Amino acid sequence: MSVPSLSTSTKRVEPHPTLVLGVLSLAWLVAYNIIEPLANWVAFSLLGLERGSHLGEAVAFFLYDVPKLLLLLSGMIFVITIIRSFFSPEQTRAFLGGKREGVGNVLAASLGVVTPFCSCSAVPLFIGFVESGIPLGVTFSFLVAAPLVNEVALVMLFGLFGWKVALLYMVSGLIIAVLAGVIIGRLKLERYVEDFVWQIKIGKEALDISKPAWPQRLKLGWQSTKEIVGKVWLYVIVGIAVGAGIHGYVPESALVEIMGKDSWWSIPAAVGLGVPLYSNAAGVMPIVSALMEKGAALGTVLAFMMAVVGLSLPEMLILRRVLKPQLIGIFIAVVAIGITLTGYLFNWLI
Amino acid sequence: MLNIKVLGSGCANCKKLEASVRKVVANQGLEAEVEKVTDYAEIMKWNVLSTPGLVVNDKVVSTGRIPSESEIKNWLNF
């Protein structure tokens, strides 16, 4: 996609952004609707594999799932980035100022989902929030929700399990963030914030940054789609290839005993395994979806994924600059317990 | 002379922004001092919550994203 240049000296004629967007959306829809027949045609007609055979089913599964998930990822990340371009951490802070505990936690968790956030700027965000008087617990609701309700994970769940599971993931992520923030707020842990944070004086200058115009929003959407899909596409393909292998070859219910509903220890084990594995939601998901098909329980799988995206080592290392180890420990413990309980709840409900 | 500050501590996007700023300065033949600000106390003076931030002559022009080179050019040639 091209974007009109801001400089007036350029003579290049740029197509209208609406036109570009329309053409791209149409192409996306057409592509999304032909991949299934196309995958079947390639697997069973072109390659001449037998329908119902292990190899044939595995190849068709792979050929359909790879383009489907990549299309879903690019389309939805584009839309999500555009939605997020209407929010900013500065606005969110202004909005959260003066809100009571409780209401503040719910708002902070919800805004954590839609506000553009990179764990690399977690430190200025944290300092800016607490220094402007937002309670510690409310700040934590934001910091838990922002990575936990992860857009890549959301899209992968939607693509692999449907909208109900995706919604369940989002809602439970929000609830964990609200409750974790309320608990941390109640524990009065301000003393475990590094002392220098309370000494920093933030500028009083109101930021006067012009809102991006539509062409810039589209460009932003395009950039982040390229960046995120560029980062995860290989994991998606490898993950689906492994998943396709399991799909075609691992016997039904081989995993029921290990990852099924009746093994209570599988959830804490999944969380413990997920915490050190960060930022690979995209690659992990297709594998776990295939595992689930063979008998692993949904709650166990969701808990695993939440642990992967919600608690990451790099983010903890960044937050360590403003939080003392005790508070980092409490933060990890509260979120990990929340995820574990969510896992049990899902296994019990479904 | 222009004074340009790139606010941000060690994030990948901060380095990219600094590189594009230096490129625009060189291409336009501007006389400018480009500083990288990594100290949090210093960054917070600008009230910036999302890095990278870009400050031109003591005014914050952008936060939390990498502006295009044409945008940067506009800010530097006001």
Side-chain angles (χ1 to χ4, degrees):
Chain A
M1 186 188 312
S2 53
V3 161
S5 162
L6 287 173
S7 153
T8 46
S9 59
T10 45
K11 286 277 188 294
R12 253 163 68 215
V13 182
E14 303 272 359
H16 196 276
T18 322
L19 185 73
V20 178
L21 196 62
V23 170
L24 281 177
S25 317
L26 201 66
W28 190 95
L29 273 175
V30 170
Y32 193 73
N33 281 297
I34 60 165
I35 44 178
E36 189 167 17
L38 200 65
N40 284 333
W41 179 77
V42 171
F44 302 121
S45 302
L46 193 66
L47 298 175
L49 297 165
E50 201 182 319
R51 260 177 210 278
S53 67
H54 284 328
L55 184 65
E57 291 303 320
V59 169
F61 177 85
F62 179 79
L63 288 178
Y64 172 49
D65 265 35
V66 166
K68 180 179 107 177
L69 283 168
L70 290 178
L71 275 172
L72 272 177
L73 272 176
S74 15
M76 288 178 67
I77 285 170
F78 184 77
V79 172
I80 290 169
T81 311
I82 302 241
I83 295 173
R84 282 193 173 157
S85 73
F86 287 92
F87 295 83
S88 73
E90 289 81 10
Q91 277 175 309
T92 294
R93 174 179 62 180
F95 196 67
L96 289 176
K99 293 283 187 301
R100 278 183 304 121
E101 206 187 40
V103 181
N105 291 93
V106 174
L107 284 173
S110 319
L111 287 166
V113 175
V114 288
T115 308
F117 171 78
C118 157
S119 58
C120 57
S121 50
V123 167
L125 185 122
F126 180 85
I127 300 174
F129 272 35
V130 295
E131 279 287 298
S132 70
I134 295 174
L136 193 61
V138 175
T139 304
F140 267 103
S141 281
F142 182 94
L143 283 177
V144 173
L148 187 58
V149 183
N150 172 289
E151 68 272 25
V152 173
L154 196 66
V155 176
M156 298 295 282
L157 282 178
F158 173 74
L160 293 164
F161 304 114
W163 65 269
K164 279 184 199 158
V165 173
L167 191 71
L168 209 60
Y169 159 70
M170 194 167 96
V171 172
S172 46
L174 283 173
I175 294 172
I176 293 173
V178 170
L179 293 181
V182 169
I183 292 169
I184 289 173
R186 285 292 157 84
L187 291 173
K188 304 269 174 247
L189 300 168
E190 281 75 6
R191 63 184 182 284
Y192 293 133
V193 172
E194 290 289 351
D195 303 322
F196 85 93
V197 171
W198 306 113
Q199 269 125 46
I200 287 180
K201 288 280 162 283
I202 54 173
K204 286 279 169 275
E205 187 195 12
L207 285 185
D208 172 34
I209 294 162
S210 52
K211 295 250 159 150
W214 266 104
Q216 279 165 324
R217 290 188 204 281
L218 295 179
K219 192 181 171 195
L220 216 60
W222 182 247
Q223 274 177 347
S224 80
T225 306
K226 258 198 320 196
E227 194 189 318
I228 294 179
V229 176
K231 234 189 300 191
V232 304
W233 67 273
L234 194 60
Y235 292 110
V236 173
I237 294 177
V238 172
I240 295 172
V242 174
I246 296 173
H247 183 86
Y249 292 99
V250 176
E252 201 72 40
S253 65
L255 290 154
V256 169
E257 247 175 70
I258 310 169
M259 294 181 82
K261 266 190 190 186
D262 298 327
S263 45
W264 63 270
W265 49 268
S266 66
I267 294 174
V271 173
L273 206 66
V275 175
L277 274 179
Y278 45 85
S279 74
N280 279 350
V284 170
M285 282 314 296
I287 303 175
V288 287
S289 87
L291 292 178
M292 238 185 87
E293 208 169 285
K294 303 295 171 189
L298 179 65
T300 313
V301 169
L302 272 179
F304 176 67
M305 206 195 54
M306 285 182 158
V308 169
V309 296
L311 290 169
S312 75
L313 188 63
E315 200 193 343
M316 295 307 139
L317 288 176
I318 287 167
L319 283 174
R320 173 65 192 90
R321 301 199 202 163
V322 282
L323 307 177
K324 293 183 182 162
Q326 293 93 325
L327 187 44
I328 298 262
I330 294 168
F331 174 43
I332 295 175
V334 168
V335 177
I337 291 169
I339 293 173
T340 310
L341 293 179
T342 310
Y344 283 126
L345 187 70
F346 283 146
N347 279 358
W348 178 70
L349 280 177
I350 299 166
Chain B
M1 190 168 84
L2 284 169
N3 178 279
I4 305 166
K5 293 186 178 76
V6 176
L7 313 180
S9 177
C11 61
N13 285 347
C14 306
K15 289 188 192 106
K16 281 187 207 153
L17 176 60
E18 190 191 358
S20 349
V21 167
R22 289 194 188 278
K23 198 171 145 199
V24 172
V25 167
N27 286 349
Q28 302 278 301
L30 296 169
E31 257 199 62
E33 181 192 6
V34 182
E35 276 177 72
K36 184 116 190 294
V37 180
T38 55
D39 181 49
Y40 287 121
E42 203 57 37
I43 292 174
M44 295 317 293
K45 279 188 190 152
W46 299 99
N47 207 0
V48 162
L49 296 191
S50 43
T51 52
L54 183 63
V55 178
V56 178
N57 282 353
D58 291 341
K59 187 179 179 317
V60 181
V61 291
S62 156
T63 62
R65 66 190 183 101
I66 307 178
S68 67
E69 281 175 23
S70 61
E71 280 177 272
I72 298 173
K73 210 156 69 184
N74 270 16
W75 290 322
L76 301 188
N77 294 310
F78 41 93

